[in-house]
């Protein structure tokens, strides 16, 4: 493409980046807007600079925009499918049932640790952080509310566990993408990631255990057994809580994924199974399909939350809810409505539109070569393995912010740095590992990125609120950079192309030292 030969000067590229960052920051923080319009304005500014200063034609930008959207079509379809899945799972009692039974086995003291482990295991099994966040994550957020654990903290731990599996599972698309663009192979890549992932994960395990002490036994004053009882009774009044109904749709989805069925048809099958269960419980076909389209709308909990405290005892008696105070019923019913009025295809439109606009910005940025121009001068100043890894991490973060997509934040830096890693003799697994340490994990911390927008939507927690508690996602890149500067877990390319473990300098048996 002609645009590959047209590049802005460094001052133009830097000025455009600063302008875009200022527009987005002012819109979000200064005006309190959603990210959609600020990002659209930023994309327009970047396009105008590209057109009139860099000399990129609109046709070239349009091709790049379409390519960016095309590369993310799979993720966008999964986004829609998960909205449908969540709506049907709530209506059929799957998510309410997971919350109900979760209260029986999870206590405040172990909740954070158990949440991390549960989300990690499931995400490794299915290779999808989005599937974990939209299903089990929603249930765990509900349990956290009953246990008195702040939603941002619970969401951060859910995301930490979900992205551990997204990063390490051989079934994950990002785990396959990173070695593909870097020249490594899948299992070399996974073995290399263990060097940085396992220490990071153990740190998060310790954090969740220590934080759990502050909630153990209600020491923080938030845990109240009567609230748990109220939750369970209100859930039982609104839904048919049955262990078979609760387990069947998740088993179907997990079974299909384990049989290597693609994620999209697996999720559609899970939604279909839940809709059948809902109709078996007495819902009409129109109601079942309505939940898939518009999400679940609470009935009993909504009626309780809208009734005055003085009139609640009579209504509760009529509904067969006994042993719960009117004040507690009013408080908990409002929480149930907030937790379970969710899902449906329509609920994903906010995130879908945000992601599409972000991809437009990403396509413009890519076609105009702003990122390439800014990073190339830095390559010539790198004089160590640690510097190379740090630069990859930084470029993945910048790509996540300005390109708006997890896949682009892996593919673009991977393509840019592959020849440089080859030149200095580092094994491709070093590049693929670094791409996942940053590109995969940092995506969910950007509100307008595909991953940040999605998880904020399904978990009901703004991205900046859960960001401080997504410990694994920001600790892993820090651990990766630190270990590399210490000379730990560095792999060089051997004479036969196989990885050779070494330190910060190339092992002598591989030949003369290569200057950075």
């Amino acid at each position: 493409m002609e645009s590959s030969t047209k590049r802005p000067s460094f001052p133009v590229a830097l000025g455009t980046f600063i302008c875009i960052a200022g527009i987005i920051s002012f819109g979000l923080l200064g005006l309190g807007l959603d990210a959609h319009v600020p990002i659209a304005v930023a994309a327009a500014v970047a396009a105008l600079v590209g057109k009139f200063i860099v000399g990129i034609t609109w046709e070239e930008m349009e091709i790049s925009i379409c390519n960016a959207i095309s590369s993310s079509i799979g993720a966008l379809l999964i986004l829609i499918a998960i909205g449908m899945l969540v709506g049907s799972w709530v209506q059929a009692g799957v998510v309410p049932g997971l919350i109900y039974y979760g209260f029986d086995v999870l206590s405040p003291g172990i909740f954070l640790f158990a949440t991390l482990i549960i989300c990690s295991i499931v995400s490794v099994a299915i290779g999808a952080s989005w599937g974990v966040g939209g299903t089990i994550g929603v249930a765990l957020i509900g349990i956290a509310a009953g246990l008195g654990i702040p939603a941002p903290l619970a969401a951060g731990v859910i995301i930490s566990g979900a992205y551990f599996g997204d990063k390490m599972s051989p079934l994950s698309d990002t785990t396959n993408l990173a070695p593909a663009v870097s020249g490594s192979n899948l299992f070399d890549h996974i073995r290399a990631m263990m060097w940085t992932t396992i220490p990071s994960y153990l740190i998060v395990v310790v954090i969740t255990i220590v934080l759990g002490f502050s909630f153990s036994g209600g020491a923080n004053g938030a845990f109240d057994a009567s609230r748990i009882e109220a939750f369970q009774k209100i859930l039982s009044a609104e839904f048919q809580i049955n262990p078979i109904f609760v387990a069947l749709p998740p088993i179907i989805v997990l079974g299909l994924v384990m049989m290597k069925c693609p994620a999209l048809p697996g999720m559609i099958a899970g939604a279909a199974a839940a809709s059948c269960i809902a109709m078996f419980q007495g819902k009409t076909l129109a109601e079942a399909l309505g939940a898939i389209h518009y999400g679940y709308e609470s009935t009993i909990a909504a009626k309780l939350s809208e009734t005055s405290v003085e009139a609640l005892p009579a209504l509760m008696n009529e509904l067969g809810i006994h042993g719960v105070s009117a004040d507690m019923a009013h408080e908990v019913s409002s929480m149930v409505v907030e937790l379970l009025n969710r899902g449906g295809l329509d609920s994903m439109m906010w995130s879908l539109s945000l992601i599409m606009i972000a991809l437009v910005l990403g396509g413009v940025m890519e076609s105009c070569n702003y990122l390439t121009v800014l990073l190339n001068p830095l390559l010539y100043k790198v004089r160590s393995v640690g510097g190379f890894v740090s630069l990859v991490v930084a470029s993945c973060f910048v790509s996540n912010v300005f390109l708006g997509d997890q896949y682009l934040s892996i593919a673009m830096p991977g393509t840019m740095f592959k020849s440089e890693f080859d030149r200095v003799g580092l094994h491709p697994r070093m590049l693929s590992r670094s791409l996942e340490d940053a590109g995969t994990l940092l995506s969910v911390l950007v509100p307008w990125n595909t991953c940040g927008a999605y998880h904020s939507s399904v978990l009901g927690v703004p991205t900046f609120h859960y960001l401080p508690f997504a410990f694994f996602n920001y600790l892993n890149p820090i651990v990766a950079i630190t270990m590399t500067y210490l000379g730990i877990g560095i792999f060089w390319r051997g004479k036969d192309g196989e990885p050779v473990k070494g330190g910060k300098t190339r092992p002598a048996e591989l030949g003369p030292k290569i200057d950075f």
Side-chain angles (χ1 to χ4, degrees):
M1 267 176 44
E2 187 184 357
S3 62
S4 63
T5 62
K6 295 178 181 179
R7 299 187 176 185
S9 65
F10 186 85
V12 169
L14 181 60
T16 303
F17 259 75
I18 292 173
C19 184
I20 289 172
I23 290 170
I24 295 173
S25 298
F26 178 68
L28 293 176
L29 305 177
L31 301 179
L33 299 174
D34 286 338
H36 300 64
V37 173
I39 292 176
V41 173
V45 169
L48 289 172
V49 173
K51 168 70 175 175
F52 294 106
I53 297 180
V54 183
I56 308 296
T57 67
W58 167 248
E59 287 74 19
E60 291 169 326
M61 286 188 248
E62 187 174 29
I63 290 172
S64 187
I65 290 169
C66 291
N67 288 338
I69 294 173
S70 176
S71 69
S72 299
I73 284 294
L76 298 177
L77 291 175
I78 288 175
L79 182 75
I80 293 171
I82 289 179
M84 299 164 68
L85 184 77
V86 172
S88 63
W89 279 25
V90 174
Q91 185 185 58
V94 177
V95 173
L98 291 172
I99 296 173
Y100 182 95
Y101 292 119
F103 286 135
D104 290 334
V105 298
L106 293 176
S107 64
I110 68 166
F111 174 82
L112 296 176
F113 172 68
T115 292
L116 178 69
I117 300 301
I118 291 168
C119 292
S120 299
I121 292 172
V122 175
S123 63
V124 168
I126 68 175
S129 59
W130 286 28
V132 173
T135 54
I136 294 173
V138 174
L140 289 168
I141 283 287
I143 296 170
L147 298 177
I149 294 171
L153 174 56
V157 175
I158 290 166
I159 287 168
S160 292
Y163 273 82
F164 170 80
D166 199 330
K167 184 176 190 282
M168 297 300 294
S169 173
L171 301 176
S172 168
D173 46 10
T174 57
T175 309
N176 285 273
L177 176 61
V181 299
S182 63
S184 181
N185 68 67
L186 177 61
F187 291 102
D188 264 356
H189 169 58
I190 292 174
R191 282 191 289 269
M193 285 198 295
M194 289 182 180
W195 283 87
T196 57
T197 303
I198 299 304
S200 306
Y201 190 76
L202 292 176
I203 294 172
V204 179
V205 166
V206 172
I207 291 173
T208 57
I209 291 173
V210 171
L211 285 176
F213 292 149
S214 64
F215 297 98
S216 181
N220 66 336
F223 176 63
D224 184 352
S226 64
R227 178 186 294 163
I228 301 301
E229 183 181 9
F231 253 103
Q232 291 184 315
K233 289 186 175 181
I234 292 173
L235 289 174
S236 295
E238 179 148 350
F239 301 94
Q240 292 187 37
I241 306 295
N242 180 297
I244 296 176
F245 294 159
V246 171
L248 188 57
I251 288 173
I252 289 173
V253 174
L254 285 172
L256 288 172
V257 171
M258 295 302 287
M259 292 166 59
K260 301 192 182 301
C261 173
L264 189 60
M267 290 175 182
I268 296 298
S275 295
C276 291
I277 290 173
M279 288 188 287
F280 180 79
Q281 295 172 343
K283 301 293 184 183
T284 65
L285 177 61
E287 289 172 330
L289 296 178
I292 289 177
H293 188 175
Y294 303 107
Y296 181 74
E297 289 291 335
S298 177
T299 54
I300 291 175
K303 188 181 294 184
L304 290 170
S305 66
E306 293 165 1
T307 303
S308 66
V309 175
E310 294 75 19
L312 268 181
L315 177 59
M316 291 165 60
N317 187 60
E318 178 186 334
L319 296 171
I321 301 173
H322 306 292
V324 178
S325 70
D327 287 334
M328 183 61 72
H330 195 272
E331 175 191 346
V332 169
S333 61
S334 298
M335 296 172 70
V336 169
V337 170
E338 184 177 348
L339 287 168
L340 299 181
N341 276 17
R342 63 176 64 235
L345 185 152
D346 273 8
S347 71
M348 294 293 106
M349 292 301 105
W350 187 96
S351 298
L352 197 65
S353 60
L354 175 57
I355 291 167
M356 293 286 284
I357 293 171
L359 290 172
V360 170
L361 173 61
V364 172
M365 298 293 287
E366 186 175 9
S367 65
C368 296
N369 294 302
Y370 295 123
L371 186 61
T372 303
V373 168
L374 288 177
L375 288 176
N376 274 343
L378 298 177
L379 275 172
Y380 298 108
K381 296 182 180 180
V382 172
R383 294 292 180 268
S384 67
V385 180
F388 261 89
V389 170
S390 299
L391 191 55
V392 173
V393 169
S395 67
C396 288
F397 174 71
V398 171
S399 297
N400 268 313
V401 171
F402 289 99
L403 302 184
D405 181 71
Q406 181 185 50
Y407 302 113
L408 291 176
S409 73
I410 293 174
M412 179 176 283
T415 303
M416 289 175 56
F417 288 102
K418 183 178 183 298
S419 60
E420 290 300 313
F421 272 66
D422 288 341
R423 180 180 66 82
V424 300
L426 287 168
H427 194 271
R429 63 160 60 177
M430 288 294 295
L431 175 56
S432 65
R433 180 179 81 185
S434 301
L435 293 173
E436 282 241 77
D437 285 339
T440 298
L441 297 185
L442 296 178
S443 59
V444 73
L445 306 182
V446 180
W448 52 87
N449 189 282
T450 53
C451 298
Y454 168 75
H455 283 91
S456 174
S457 176
V458 296
L459 296 177
V461 180
T463 307
F464 287 144
H465 290 192
Y466 68 63
L467 187 154
F469 307 108
F471 305 111
F472 180 69
N473 295 70
Y474 60 78
L475 284 176
N476 195 166
I478 295 171
V479 168
I481 292 171
T482 303
M483 289 182 64
T484 309
Y485 272 110
L486 293 175
I488 301 172
I490 296 176
F491 294 89
W492 299 84
R493 189 179 63 249
K495 295 179 180 179
D496 57 358
E498 292 300 309
V500 175
K501 189 175 179 298
K504 290 185 283 188
T505 57
R506 191 181 187 211
E509 65 268 21
L510 298 182
K513 178 181 176 182
I514 297 176
D515 291 330
F516 284 89

